[in-house]
Amino acid sequence: VVNGRKNTLKAVISERIAVVLDHWYVDSTEERKKLIETADTWKADIEDVKDHLERTSEVWDRATNFIESNKIKTLRVDYEDFYVDTDLKMRLEKVKSIIKWLGYDFDSEHIGAIKHLLSKDRKVSTKDLYLLIENIEEINDRFGPEYGYLF
């Protein structure tokens, strides 16, 4: 199973936010709101963002080339498959397909835990958090066309 992101800019900015806030996930919408209310704004270093985007893309390109050149059987799984623009039923189907691909039977006994993990409430980075970065519009305008837009 290969885990990735369809939107590299969101991946990089989300990681930067997690590092600055020292907060990698939330358990609820209320927790995210509290995080936003208590966080200070900051200006991101444009060159640091650029370097991080280039390194991330380079790593993915090397990994993809290695997998393809060695004809390694993989199943592509992207973060967006679980947390962006899909309903819970579609996310559960994705989990079931991964479990089946790995050669196991889906055990419905764990459906409650899986639903909790797939909850969009656990997603930390949202537009509100992006806006804590004072120059986020500049970052979005500069890097969005190549790496994917934030909004």
Side-chain angles (χ1 to χ4, degrees):
V1 175
V2 178
N3 182 20
R5 290 288 299 258
K6 293 176 184 173
N7 186 316
T8 306
L9 183 56
K10 282 186 177 182
V12 166
I13 295 300
S14 294
E15 189 266 343
R16 296 285 76 203
I17 289 170
V19 168
V20 168
L21 299 180
D22 192 29
H23 214 94
W24 295 86
Y25 70 93
V26 294
D27 282 322
S28 66
T29 303
E30 292 77 27
E31 185 179 348
R32 183 183 315 105
K33 285 180 186 175
K34 184 177 179 182
L35 182 64
I36 292 166
E37 290 169 2
T38 59
D40 294 324
T41 62
W42 73 95
K43 190 170 185 174
D45 182 318
I46 297 289
E47 286 306 309
D48 180 58
V49 171
K50 179 180 179 239
D51 292 343
H52 203 96
L53 284 164
E54 289 171 351
R55 283 193 314 272
T56 300
S57 293
E58 182 182 314
V59 166
W60 272 106
D61 289 345
R62 283 197 325 249
T64 300
N65 289 338
F66 177 83
I67 289 166
E68 289 174 356
S69 66
N70 288 287
K71 297 183 172 107
I72 297 171
K73 182 180 174 187
T74 60
L75 173 66
R76 172 82 188 231
V77 178
D78 291 304
Y79 172 89
E80 288 85 352
D81 294 335
F82 298 104
Y83 294 106
V84 180
D85 300 330
T86 57
D87 64 18
L88 181 59
K89 183 177 178 182
M90 290 174 66
R91 295 190 307 268
L92 284 171
E93 288 303 315
K94 189 66 173 186
V95 170
K96 288 178 185 179
S97 73
I98 293 167
I99 292 169
K100 183 178 179 181
W101 185 86
L102 292 170
Y104 295 97
D105 293 325
F106 181 77
D107 185 351
S108 60
E109 174 184 335
H110 303 292
I111 196 85
I114 293 169
K115 283 181 179 179
H116 175 70
L117 291 172
L118 295 177
S119 169
K120 289 185 179 186
D121 289 342
R122 295 181 58 84
K123 184 177 182 223
V124 174
S125 294
T126 59
K127 183 176 181 179
D128 291 342
L129 272 172
Y130 293 150
L131 293 174
L132 290 174
I133 302 172
E134 295 167 4
N135 56 339
I136 197 65
E137 294 290 342
E138 177 186 356
I139 291 168
N140 194 44
D141 292 344
R142 180 166 174 186
F143 301 114
E146 184 174 355
Y147 296 103
Y149 288 97
L150 295 169
F151 356 85

